[in-house]
Amino acid sequence: MSNKQELHVIFGTGPVGRAIADELSAQGKAIRMVNRSGRKDIPQQIDVISGEAKDHAFARQAAEGATHVYFALNPAYHLWLQEFPPMQASVLQAAIDNHAKLIVMENVYMYGDTHGKPMTEDMPYSAHTRKGKLRAGMHRELMAAHQAGKVQVVTGRASDFFGSHVLQSAMGERVFGYALEGKSPQLLGNPDKRHTQTYMKDIGKALVMLAQADDAYGQAWHIPSPRTVTQKEFVDLIGRELGTDLKVSIPPKVIVRMLGMVVKPLGEMVEMLYEFEDDFIVDASKFEARFGDIATPLEEAIRDTVAWYREQQLITA
């Protein structure tokens, strides 16, 4: 199928959706993006449609003519249980109705606490958290549709994000943003435990690679990440890029719990603190064996992320 015949419809214009669009744009693909809020700063050459993805009639119309549909939506953290399932169900049906392939961004919550053991795609789903159980159920829904022959589905899984446009993440604004403002970056849990962080540009590249590989469908794939270091080592590398020593701030769990009673998104983070109390390592050997190791070197990824945050400071100054 030629580029002119393809239409890639991306539901979501957050960091993941933008990373997908950047990769597709570099390949000269036709792109349509879908969100609730309109164009914002989406490049003019990309078609943008605004509406409610949970509305199936809208989702079906937004995906009209698509050869590939990407599910890159992510509701507010405290609204996951209510918002996520109907969003996915609507976009899934839109892909089915339009005879399009479906590419879905997932995370690794469904595995639960592996007590430091590296996560692989063949691990059982042993989630003990509400959001982990939700993710497991949503994946099973996708694979059931694939196995029933209704649609071709492939999913990519990543650890915590960092990179351009990433604000709400463990290595988001409270780390990079604070560091550039001369504040102490805020970490969770044990700063001396290793924690895989996935670079946003690599996510966009990996999802497009999965979309274009017929043999990838019907499976979940871990997206390659830069080398895994401890949270403290990660912050030290940011400090090296900035030419300064950064002193981290780590709020006690009891404080996180107390604040979570007032700040709903933070409250939803409490059940996920296990991720930061032991080694949290995502193994992408399966992807690397099929597609190669596409991960950006850690120092380069941090340098590019610092540059993006600096640019935002100039824009808002």
Side-chain angles (χ1 to χ4, degrees):
M1 180 176 291
S2 69
N3 289 355
K4 291 183 178 179
Q5 291 176 299
E6 291 184 11
L7 173 61
H8 296 255
V9 176
I10 306 168
F11 282 81
T13 57
V16 175
R18 290 167 185 262
I20 296 168
D22 287 345
E23 183 65 24
L24 291 170
S25 293
Q27 296 184 17
K29 306 290 188 180
I31 305 167
R32 179 186 301 149
M33 302 190 79
V34 185
N35 64 15
R36 286 175 173 170
S37 54
R39 177 164 295 279
K40 291 186 177 179
D41 57 346
I42 306 299
Q44 288 296 322
Q45 67 270 24
I46 295 178
D47 184 24
V48 179
I49 297 179
S50 300
E52 178 54 69
K54 291 185 297 182
D55 178 345
H56 173 56
F58 166 76
R60 181 176 62 243
Q61 182 179 13
E64 186 174 359
T67 54
H68 300 77
V69 170
Y70 300 78
F71 183 70
L73 294 167
N74 191 19
Y77 212 37
H78 63 289
L79 297 176
W80 268 33
L81 298 183
Q82 305 98 294
E83 298 278 339
F84 234 157
M87 280 183 177
Q88 178 176 282
S90 181
V91 175
L92 169 61
Q93 190 60 50
I96 293 171
D97 291 347
N98 284 283
H99 308 289
K101 295 178 177 179
L102 180 62
I103 304 92
V104 178
M105 180 76 247
E106 295 185 317
N107 65 13
V108 292
Y109 285 7
M110 64 279 294
Y111 303 122
D113 189 351
T114 65
H115 305 287
K117 182 178 180 181
M119 286 166 273
T120 56
E121 295 91 338
D122 58 356
M123 274 188 166
Y125 296 167
S126 301
H128 58 288
T129 64
R130 293 176 303 155
K131 289 185 285 297
K133 293 175 181 177
L134 174 71
R135 276 298 200 178
M138 289 173 64
H139 179 76
R140 292 186 179 109
E141 177 186 27
L142 293 170
M143 289 301 109
H146 177 90
Q147 290 162 9
K150 297 179 180 179
V151 63
Q152 292 187 66
V153 183
V154 62
T155 72
R157 295 176 181 167
S159 189
D160 295 278
F161 305 157
F162 74 102
S164 300
H165 303 287
V166 178
L167 300 175
Q168 303 301 318
S169 179
M171 290 297 172
E173 187 173 28
R174 290 195 304 274
V175 173
F176 281 95
Y178 281 17
L180 267 71
E181 293 169 6
K183 301 177 183 177
S184 296
Q186 289 188 355
L187 300 180
L188 295 170
N190 188 336
D192 296 317
K193 294 295 184 180
R194 292 182 295 162
H195 194 103
T196 298
Q197 315 283 350
T198 311
Y199 184 44
M200 186 52 65
K201 286 184 180 179
D202 297 336
I203 290 172
K205 183 174 183 178
L207 290 174
V208 172
M209 292 175 75
L210 292 172
Q212 296 171 344
D214 288 342
D215 63 330
Y217 286 84
Q219 304 175 60
W221 300 78
H222 289 174
I223 294 172
S225 301
R227 75 179 191 278
T228 297
V229 298
T230 70
Q231 293 189 84
K232 181 60 170 62
E233 288 170 332
F234 192 98
V235 171
D236 287 344
L237 288 171
I238 298 174
R240 186 182 304 173
E241 179 64 27
L242 296 175
T244 187
D245 290 329
L246 295 172
K247 305 297 183 183
V248 301
S249 171
I250 306 171
K253 185 186 294 188
V254 64
I255 298 299
V256 177
R257 291 184 184 277
M258 290 175 63
L259 290 174
M261 296 175 66
V262 179
V263 183
K264 289 183 179 180
L266 184 58
E268 288 297 328
M269 187 65 227
V270 171
E271 70 171 1
M272 307 309 302
L273 287 176
Y274 74 88
E275 296 183 348
F276 304 93
E277 294 169 343
D278 206 339
D279 286 341
F280 191 79
I281 302 169
V282 180
D283 184 325
S285 298
K286 174 183 171 182
F287 187 104
E288 292 165 4
R290 169 60 180 83
F291 299 98
D293 184 1
I294 64 166
T296 301
L298 183 56
E299 288 81 1
E300 178 183 341
I302 286 176
R303 181 168 59 251
D304 289 348
T305 304
V306 167
W308 182 83
Y309 270 89
R310 278 183 169 143
E311 181 181 344
Q312 302 315 298
Q313 285 185 331
L314 292 173
I315 292 173
T316 57

